[in-house]
Amino acid sequence: MARLKVGVLISGRGTNLGALIDACADPTFPAEIALVLSNKGDAKGLARARGAGLKVAVIDHRGKARESFDAEVDAALRAAGVEFICLAGFMRLFTAAFVERWYNRILNIHPSLLPSFKGLHVHEQTLAAGVRIGGCTVHVLRFAMDTGPIVVQAAVPVLDGDTPESLADRILAAEHKIYPLALRLFAEGRARVEGDHVRISGSYEPEGALISPPA
Ligand code: GRF
């Protein structure tokens, strides 16, 4: 079966990109990375992409209207044969036109259990709220920031004494598991968007609950 051709968009260190690169390195994984695109030439993740021999593009957003930037990104993705987009720490918002053009074909990862704690400073928000369980979410992109049908979530305990950094590290480890999983579900045709929801076929019910603190 042909592998789904994915474009991964980054702005920074690219550890989620790394998790996707590792997943795609398995020839039985149903997706492959056709392009890694960054709006920042100094994004650390670009080195990882180049090291893996992937095609890389840098499109600087500065001094451009949002429409022009999006048109350039769209052209680069199409030129590389991209069919599906994974945003992995990509710090730009797209125009409605771009989201429409790639409707239901863009995933994003966010370090909270959406719809809680949207936007920036997510780990600070999580700690400030005093929740005992945080987590991360892969969702289908819609125009409003950090909204869209949810594909996969991971729940992660929040511990007394956590700092934004320690919590971020724990959540990031879960991000690296759920992003490849979410991509696989789409690439295998097992995830399907129905309105505001994603339906998953062929999954099973997990047992038990994550209780935090455990006792
Ligand atoms: C991750 O925490 C992701 O959830 C958020 O931005 C961060 C990107 O990290 N959207 P990395 O660049 O993948 O290491």
Side-chain angles (χ1 to χ4, degrees):
M1 206 179 84
R3 302 171 88 194
L4 184 68
K5 289 189 166 48
V6 178
V8 184
L9 274 53
I10 64 168
S11 298
R13 71 192 160 173
T15 66
N16 279 289
L17 163 67
L20 294 171
I21 291 174
D22 289 346
C24 292
D26 177 349
T28 67
F29 192 78
E32 63 186 326
I33 298 175
L35 182 67
V36 175
L37 189 151
S38 176
N39 63 314
K40 294 192 174 230
D42 60 355
K44 284 210 180 76
L46 290 174
R48 176 78 209 268
R50 291 192 178 104
L54 296 171
K55 190 170 179 192
V56 160
V58 175
I59 299 179
D60 197 330
H61 63 278
R62 287 172 299 184
K64 276 172 203 160
R66 225 171 256 285
E67 290 73 16
S68 321
F69 174 73
D70 286 7
E72 279 186 51
V73 170
D74 182 64
L77 292 167
R78 283 169 195 277
V82 167
E83 302 165 300
F84 198 86
I85 298 172
C86 289
L87 305 180
F90 184 67
M91 300 302 284
R92 305 293 304 164
L93 296 175
F94 287 117
T95 54
F98 186 95
V99 177
E100 284 296 317
R101 187 164 306 137
W102 291 88
Y103 200 68
N104 288 346
R105 292 189 293 147
I106 309 176
L107 297 183
N108 182 45
I109 186 153
H110 184 79
S112 75
L113 290 173
L114 289 173
S116 294
F117 315 133
K118 295 174 181 167
L120 296 175
H121 309 298
V122 181
H123 306 103
E124 286 83 351
Q125 290 188 55
T126 304
L127 291 175
V131 295
R132 293 286 184 189
I133 295 177
C136 46
T137 303
V138 178
H139 66 96
V140 177
L141 196 81
R142 291 290 183 258
F143 179 60
M145 187 167 60
D146 298 327
T147 64
I150 290 171
V151 190
V152 183
Q153 293 186 305
V156 173
V158 180
L159 307 180
D160 287 344
D162 258 339
T163 60
E165 293 72 29
S166 64
L167 178 60
D169 286 348
R170 197 175 309 117
I171 291 175
L172 195 62
E175 293 184 40
H176 297 163
K177 292 183 183 159
I178 67 168
Y179 216 168
L181 168 60
L183 176 58
R184 182 158 63 78
L185 291 171
F186 270 93
E188 289 175 342
R190 288 174 55 201
R192 212 175 59 254
V193 185
E194 281 177 15
D196 292 336
H197 296 93
V198 174
R199 306 288 176 208
I200 312 270
S201 62
S203 202
Y204 61 91
E205 283 181 34
E207 276 174 35
L210 170 64
I211 297 175
S212 173

